[in-house]
Amino acid sequence: MTKAPASALISAFLEMMAAERGASPHTLDAYRRDLDDYVGSLKAGKSDPVTAGDGDMRRYMAELGAAGLAPRTQARRLSAVRQFHKFLYSDGYRNEDPSANIDSPRQGQTLPKFLTIDEIDRLIAAASNHSGIKGKRLLAMVELMYATGMRVSELVELPYAAAARDPQMLIVRGKGDKERLVPLSDPARDALRDYIAVRDAFIPSDKSDGHTNRAGQSSYLFPSRGKTGHLTRQMFLNMIKDLAVDAGVAPSRVSPHVLRHSFASHLLANGADLRSLQKMLGHSDISTTQIYTHVLESRLRGLVQEHHPLAHMGKPE
């Protein structure tokens, strides 16, 4: 059994996640935060990742509950710790995996939050009323988000090459560097075409930032002058919160993930099947897509009530 500092073990785990599973920088940052928190708890209990037992893990989970963390957040932390310990066991840092007998926190079923079609229409109409090049960018991003159901990280990191030739299908690189094809609606293509015509205005004038080539062309569809070279998730969140105010929709109900949920829920409500939706959302497991079945259940109830002959028995004409 190899003894190593906790920080070195976490770094080795993150390197494995990046190299073998294609974890994104955002995912790796989240894992590091969760594992740093876990290691801090172990240190307080005079333990470490190599010597920790299931009692240490149960104490850590109890601490999370006492701190008031939601069951979903606790489950995410436990998932990170479990994967970490499986790595330590499989790579020979430990002789056993202490996470094997730890139960996940009980979670109530949380239905995805989504906007109505009318609210989406109001957001798009409000974006259309924004003038200038920023208005064209805003409209293009909202239309793309709702037309494809992309994750916000996928949207802001879209390469310019993916959309430069007025495509009918968009290639999206998702989790684990897996690529998928998603169709573009006509309104999304129109908005994208109008934005690309003014996109050069957003390219930084400093060509030495590592995100532009010698011709001054940015590799990102939505370039910015920030250190990432592209518009950030936080910037887009702020943009659509302001847009919600303009559209008369409560800003607390609007986020990039809500737009993704709205895309999925509206597709299912209008006849799409779960397998097709799974591919468009980039879910590796259909069980993840099944959170949207509440929409299917509602639609099926409506179909039965409207078309099944027994549903109308006993009702006055």
Side-chain angles (χ1 to χ4, degrees), residues 135-154:
K136 293 182 185 296
R137 181 180 64 181
L138 175 61
L139 179 60
M141 296 186 79
V142 173
E143 286 278 17
L144 280 178
M145 195 82 182
Y146 180 60
T148 66
M150 280 186 285
R151 301 175 180 90
V152 63
S153 57
E154 296 168 347

Side-chain angles (χ1 to χ4, degrees), residues 15-23 91:
E15 288 175 7
M16 180 277 294
M17 292 294 291
E20 297 182 13
R21 303 189 189 179
D91 274 38

Side-chain angles (χ1 to χ4, degrees), residues 65 84 129 154 191-192 204 215 272:
F84 181 46
N129 290 332
E154 296 168 347
L192 185 57

Side-chain angles (χ1 to χ4, degrees), residues 30 35 63 76 79-80 92 134 160 181 207 233 243 254 303:
L35 293 177
E63 291 172 359
R76 191 202 72 221
S79 175
K134 289 187 177 180
Y160 173 59
L181 278 173
K207 307 299 190 298
R233 294 181 298 170
L243 181 63
V254 178
L303 287 172

Side-chain angles (χ1 to χ4, degrees), residues 190-266:
D190 291 342
L192 185 57
R193 194 182 305 116
D194 289 344
Y195 161 69
I196 286 178
V198 300
R199 170 182 166 275
D200 286 355
F202 294 101
I203 298 176
S205 56
D206 181 6
K207 307 299 190 298
S208 62
D209 63 358
H211 301 293
T212 54
N213 60 23
R214 292 180 180 178
Q217 298 170 332
S218 171
S219 59
Y220 294 111
L221 179 60
F222 298 106
S224 83
R225 293 171 175 80
K227 63 180 181 180
T228 63
H230 60 74
L231 201 73
T232 65
R233 294 181 298 170
Q234 185 61 46
M235 289 172 67
F236 181 58
L237 174 63
N238 294 339
M239 288 161 60
I240 60 174
K241 291 288 187 182
D242 291 341
L243 181 63
V245 174
D246 296 340
V249 179
S252 60
R253 297 187 59 239
V254 178
S255 72
H257 215 60
V258 166
L259 294 181
R260 177 171 160 87
H261 286 324
S262 301
F263 159 84
S265 299
H266 296 168

